Amino acid sequence: MKEIRIHGRGGQGGVTAAELLARAAFKEGKWVQAIPFFGAERRGAPVKAFARLSDEPILVRSQIYTPDYVIVLDSGLLDLVDVTDGLKKDGVIVVNTRKKPEELNFKRGRVATVDATGIALELGLLVAGLPILNTTMLGAFAKATEEVKLESVLDAIRQVWHGAAGEKNAQAAALAYERLVKNW
């Protein structure tokens, strides 16, 4: 079983990212869970969401405390939240940032980065003037971890959003897949 923790801010689509990731893995025949975490959530506040992917039924029902993978939608959270908390020794962190992986000072884990904000702005992928990062970061996650295929991510996106909105989100995910930079 692989466990994924998503860090973002309220309104960035972290919960939707967990659901889309679960849909993508389900398409590949995996057992899945997508779990939102609702604390004192409000737009802009740090929030978390979780996903589990497995080849066998998933019996645990809880938050994820020792993730295999961490997705960070907003690099501004790196100064506020220990996103590596509980990360497994060989875990992977996928961060939305312009920085290269070696420029980030994580004490554990392998690091991959992509400028998801830049991709969203480049494509005009905005809601209420804010860049959409969740679908973009799922393309980066697919490349960094190989836990799901890019095609499955794109199908899951198009299943939720039809027409031009779905295509633009899928294009953003595909660009993030191409532009991801890894430190391993």
Side-chain angles (χ1 to χ4, degrees):
M1 178 170 56
K2 298 297 182 181
E3 296 183 309
I4 300 101
R5 186 173 63 215
I6 300 170
H7 291 271
R9 293 184 182 272
Q12 288 185 322
V15 172
T16 302
E19 292 171 358
L20 288 169
L21 180 57
R23 281 179 185 243
F26 183 78
K27 288 178 175 292
E28 297 179 7
K30 294 184 180 179
W31 295 83
V32 299
Q33 282 183 352
I35 305 167
F37 177 76
F38 296 107
E41 188 173 323
R42 65 184 190 287
R43 184 171 284 279
V47 297
K48 294 184 281 189
F50 310 97
R52 288 188 174 94
L53 319 176
S54 178
D55 294 327
E56 300 175 3
I58 301 169
L59 303 177
V60 65
R61 306 269 191 266
S62 68
Q63 293 184 43
I64 292 171
Y65 300 101
T66 55
D68 297 280
Y69 306 114
V70 171
I71 299 172
V72 181
L73 301 177
D74 184 334
S75 63
L77 292 171
L78 300 178
D79 296 329
L80 303 173
V81 177
D82 180 6
V83 299
T84 65
D85 184 37
L87 180 68
K88 291 180 181 163
K89 185 177 178 182
D90 61 343
V92 172
I93 307 168
V94 184
V95 182
N96 168 26
T97 180
R98 289 184 187 176
K99 293 182 178 178
K100 295 178 180 169
E102 57 271 16
E103 295 178 73
L104 299 174
N105 274 334
F106 294 115
K107 292 186 170 96
R108 67 179 105 170
R110 296 173 286 158
V111 181
T113 62
V114 67
D115 183 9
T117 302
I119 291 170
L121 293 173
E122 177 183 324
L123 297 176
L125 187 57
L126 308 169
V127 170
L130 299 173
I132 302 299
L133 307 171
N134 57 356
T135 51
T136 309
M137 289 299 288
L138 290 181
F141 176 84
K143 174 104 177 246
T145 68
E146 300 180 355
E147 291 293 337
V148 291
K149 297 175 184 157
L150 177 63
E151 292 75 25
S152 300
V153 170
L154 301 181
D155 287 347
I157 290 170
R158 290 178 178 124
Q159 186 179 26
V160 172
W161 294 283
H162 303 283
E167 290 307 314
K168 196 178 277 191
N169 278 280
Q171 185 181 5
L175 283 174
Y177 185 92
E178 290 174 16
R179 296 180 185 175
L180 181 83
V181 178
K182 300 189 285 187
N183 73 347
W184 67 94

